[in-house]
Amino acid sequence: MVEENGLKDLIACHTRISSIIDDHLAYAGYDISELMDNQASFEETIYLLWNLRLPTASEYEKFTSELRANYEISDAVEQCILIQSRKHLHPMSVLRSTVSLLGVYNVHAEERSLEATYEQSIQLMAKIPTIIATFARLRNGQTPIAPRNDLGFAENFLYMLTGKEAQAIEIEALNKALILHADHELNASTFAARVCASTLSDIYSCVTTAIGTLKGPLHGGANERVFDMLQEIRACGDTEAYLQQKLASQEKIMGFGHRVYKKQDPRESYLRQMAKELTQKTEHEIWYQLSREIEDYMKHSKGLIPNVDFYSATVYHVLGIDSSIFTLIFAMSRVAGWIAHIQEQQGFNKLIRPRSHYLGPEKLSYIPLERRSYA
């Protein structure tokens, strides 16, 4: 029988990268709380996902140095982004095309050795933030800002985006958001990346496939629509009336419910706390207050829990990130997990080729064209 609910609960692969068990998310055996509560860096998390263990001090220094040495993009890639910076183009389409272009310019893109794959992985991980910041600034008529290799991953991105050195709380917030979005078991984009990897295609094609999948509003675009909702509620001035009208129209309230988690999304509480700390006693406090009102109403009226997208919308907005590129930030983080899964798939590869269950008619007879007619 065909699974009618999008392969729900079907085990499609074995992995050591991440797990979701009883509403607990873990990366390579480390519960997400271990990374959050011990102030792990996003760079440590990337290393953990790729190597299935945390780095030593010397390994960490070498790894971060390699990332920082690859932050810059070429003039040709920047020119490509400029051409695509028109307002009508979807930001995820621009990222998809530009990542594909990185593969065109890498002379070792078709090599499958461990050394070549690692080099490609580092370059992709390091350059995607620069691509996103460059696109965001060009789209707003601003001059791109070159990356600084004296800054860490999160701090460098905020610097390239805003032109200012970020405050410690802002760096902490983005670092945590990146860690929380870095991997999530076999979600749609990761599964798409693994299917592509199983054909032994190149890493650029695999990541491009994942970006195209994440672009879909049922996967990556939810936090953008959460902030649209917050703005609409602020404009109308009545949270309960707004939600009642949406629910009566059978519209989905973005940022609530989850395909896997039943009682709580373990990532949400950390983003809620960061949203509170970032907005406290600032002009942005209204966004946190509205979020709490929405959460309370949805919990009591529908029994629905907020997911990772809900409070990340406020966090990103306060960090100076326009809602139109929220999904790009998701991709910037999730590429760490995609690469881990691509490497794992290719290391123990079996072509992913499921079957379909045919439901149509059978044993039909061919009728010549001149006699064919449908009543």
Side-chain angles (χ1 to χ4, degrees), residues 333-348:
S333 169
R334 186 57 58 84
V335 70
W338 291 337
I339 289 172
H341 282 270
I342 292 163
Q343 293 174 350
E344 184 178 65
Q345 180 66 41
Q346 293 182 338
F348 303 93

Side-chain angles (χ1 to χ4, degrees), residues 61-303:
E61 182 179 359
K62 179 175 183 292
F63 185 68
T64 54
S65 295
E66 289 172 334
L67 285 172
R68 295 180 186 196
N70 283 278
Y71 281 164
E72 291 187 2
I73 57 176
S74 67
D75 291 341
V77 172
E78 184 176 311
Q79 187 64 29
C80 173
I81 299 171
L82 175 61
I83 293 169
Q84 298 180 87
S85 63
R86 298 184 296 278
K87 291 287 185 180
H88 75 279
L89 287 176
H90 195 291
M92 287 292 284
S93 296
V94 176
L95 181 62
R96 179 192 64 210
S97 300
T98 309
V99 166
S100 185
L101 188 66
L102 291 181
V104 172
Y105 284 122
N106 189 328
V107 296
H108 303 295
E110 299 302 325
E111 293 185 23
R112 300 292 183 273
S113 67
L114 291 176
E115 294 78 9
T117 299
Y118 181 75
E119 176 206 1
Q120 294 158 18
S121 300
I122 288 287
Q123 289 188 3
L124 273 167
M125 195 75 242
K127 294 183 189 306
I128 282 182
T130 311
I131 291 169
I132 294 171
T134 299
F135 166 73
R137 292 187 67 84
L138 286 172
R139 200 182 201 200
N140 290 327
Q142 299 172 302
T143 302
I145 295 173
R148 282 175 47 181
N149 60 15
D150 63 319
L151 301 179
F153 196 97
E155 185 177 6
N156 178 60
F157 175 74
L158 291 173
Y159 169 73
M160 289 190 295
L161 187 69
T162 66
K164 301 179 295 183
E165 291 191 12
Q167 299 175 18
I169 190 174
E170 295 172 326
I171 299 167
E172 179 188 357
L174 182 58
N175 184 73
K176 286 185 172 180
L178 292 174
I179 292 173
L180 293 170
H181 285 89
D183 197 55
H184 205 235
E185 201 212 48
L186 206 57
N187 56 87
S189 56
T190 299
F191 183 56
R194 289 194 77 126
V195 171
C196 188
S198 79
T199 70
L200 298 186
S201 188
D202 64 282
I203 192 171
Y204 297 95
S205 295
C206 297
V207 172
T208 300
T209 298
I211 292 170
T213 307
L214 187 67
K215 178 184 175 183
L218 291 184
H219 186 14
N223 51 15
E224 178 181 340
R225 293 166 69 184
V226 167
F227 195 72
D228 291 341
M229 174 177 66
L230 289 172
Q231 290 179 302
E232 290 169 2
I233 291 175
R234 185 179 187 182
C236 83
D238 191 328
T239 302
E240 187 170 326
Y242 175 93
L243 294 173
Q244 285 177 343
Q245 187 272 324
K246 291 290 183 181
L247 291 169
S249 303
Q250 297 186 325
E251 294 183 48
K252 183 176 175 61
I253 306 300
M254 301 308 296
F256 284 86
H258 199 276
R259 192 66 175 269
V260 177
Y261 299 119
K262 305 304 179 187
K263 296 179 180 178
Q264 182 181 22
D265 184 332
R267 304 165 296 177
E268 174 269 334
S269 61
Y270 292 102
L271 288 164
R272 185 201 303 134
Q273 182 62 28
M274 289 311 305
K276 180 180 180 180
E277 292 178 14
L278 283 167
T279 61
Q280 209 160 32
K281 297 180 180 178
T282 74
E283 61 181 330
H284 299 295
E285 198 162 15
I286 182 63
W287 305 118
Y288 179 75
Q289 293 170 350
L290 289 174
S291 298
R292 291 310 308 263
E293 290 176 13
I294 298 167
E295 180 182 358
D296 289 343
Y297 183 85
M298 293 300 292
K299 184 181 296 181
H300 293 116
S301 67
K302 291 294 181 180

Side-chain angles (χ1 to χ4, degrees), residues 342-358:
I342 292 163
Q343 293 174 350
E344 184 178 65
Q345 180 66 41
Q346 293 182 338
F348 303 93
N349 191 50
K350 182 75 172 179
L351 179 66
I352 297 174
R353 203 294 189 189
R355 297 292 305 279
S356 61
H357 184 75
Y358 178 68

